[in-house]
Amino acid sequence: MELRHLRYFVAVAETKSLTLAAKVRLHTSQPSLSRQIRDLEEEIGAQLITRTARGIELTPAGRAFLDHARLVLSQVDAAAQAARNVAHPAKPCFVMGFLTGHESTWMPEAMQILRDELPNIDVMISSQYSPQLANALLQGKVDAAFLRREQGVPDLAFRALIKEPLVVVLPSDHRLAALKAISPRDLVGETFVSVSHSAPVLRLVIDNYLKRSGINLTPDHEVDHVVMGVSLIASTRGVGLLPAYVQNFLSSSVTSRPLKGYTPTVELVLGYKKSNQSPVLKLLLSRLDELVARASQKAH
């Protein structure tokens, strides 16, 4: 008895047709298949199938044999897969998360740092907003993330990367766009777009800056992230305070200007779960200074 006998028998049992099994499942001729089934029945010493007007039916012996034949074939497939896994082990996966909009600056440089490890690992990229990235780190879905220094997550560690200045984002033909730099008092009376508390770190920086400047600006519109903020600024002809990296994806209808005087900043950090023992993560952390230098050089 050979494995092909079992595969032929299972195909006939499942299609209930010698013709279909031969043509569709096994790609052989029907006479050859019939002969293989007869050889199997002779080997076993029992009739396994019977022909009826409705097609092929299993005998009681055939039904008993079918369960065991399927089990044997599944075990053979499992054994083959186990052998393949040992001969060609799957690469470990390292997942990097990026605060949406920062991929173009940081991803190529991070990949360059890891270049010697890339033949041995699969790298996956996740682009999300900061609170979602922090949650993904906690759940073990992301190994390292470029995000804000989120609060209330004691299981995470953060390493400082850069401090990004806030800029004023406004329509390109807005009257304030004629200024080289904009004072916070210039924003009074304008439609003000701010991020919501869904982006708590950035929102706190904006609110503290306005309070320090003695300006009471209640947002006319709130958005969950800066990309939506740019879109809303364009559609409402409003103004907003957003991190400078937003300049990477401004359309021609929207522009930015620096703030006059004191300029607030929001920190970008590399976050990871303290219990993560990934050697790739350790390599990335050991070369953070190089990573920051490369990214800063690229930005300038």
Side-chain angles (χ1 to χ4, degrees), residues 97-276:
F98 292 89
L99 182 60
T100 300
H102 277 291
E103 303 89 344
S104 60
T105 299
W106 294 93
M107 183 170 64
E109 306 310 324
M111 297 293 275
Q112 186 65 22
I113 294 291
L114 301 178
R115 68 186 184 280
D116 293 336
E117 289 296 320
L118 293 181
N120 307 314
I121 60 171
D122 286 326
V123 177
M124 292 185 63
I125 304 301
S126 175
S127 178
Q128 302 181 63
Y129 300 104
S130 188
Q132 289 87 347
L133 285 172
N135 190 48
L137 288 171
L138 286 172
Q139 295 179 3
K141 296 180 179 179
V142 171
D143 291 293
F146 295 76
L147 76 168
R148 302 301 178 202
R149 193 183 292 269
E150 300 293 338
Q151 301 299 310
V153 281
D155 291 338
L156 299 186
F158 300 106
R159 298 277 295 273
L161 295 174
I162 59 170
K163 291 184 177 180
E164 304 172 273
L166 296 192
V167 297
V168 180
V169 178
L170 67 170
S172 299
D173 58 356
H174 194 284
R175 64 179 185 83
L176 294 178
L179 302 175
K180 290 185 177 180
I182 296 176
S183 164
R185 294 193 177 277
D186 296 329
L187 304 179
V188 176
E190 300 293 334
T191 299
F192 186 60
V193 178
S194 186
V195 294
S196 70
H197 293 286
S198 296
V201 176
L202 178 56
R203 176 60 183 262
L204 184 62
V205 170
I206 294 171
D207 288 351
N208 285 345
Y209 170 69
L210 294 174
K211 183 178 180 180
R212 170 179 174 155
S213 302
I215 303 299
N216 183 20
L217 276 184
T218 301
D220 297 283
H221 304 284
E222 295 186 355
V223 296
D224 290 339
H225 49 80
V226 297
V227 178
M228 188 184 298
V230 173
S231 177
L232 200 58
I233 287 168
S235 61
T236 65
R237 296 195 53 75
V239 299
L241 295 173
L242 297 174
Y245 83 92
V246 77
Q247 296 165 328
N248 293 333
F249 41 84
L250 294 182
S251 65
S252 59
S253 64
V254 184
T255 189
S256 68
R257 293 291 182 270
L259 283 163
K260 186 180 296 183
Y262 165 75
T263 301
T265 60
V266 60
E267 192 177 26
L268 183 73
V269 300
L270 184 77
Y272 57 95
K273 195 171 184 178
K274 294 176 181 177
S275 60
N276 190 337

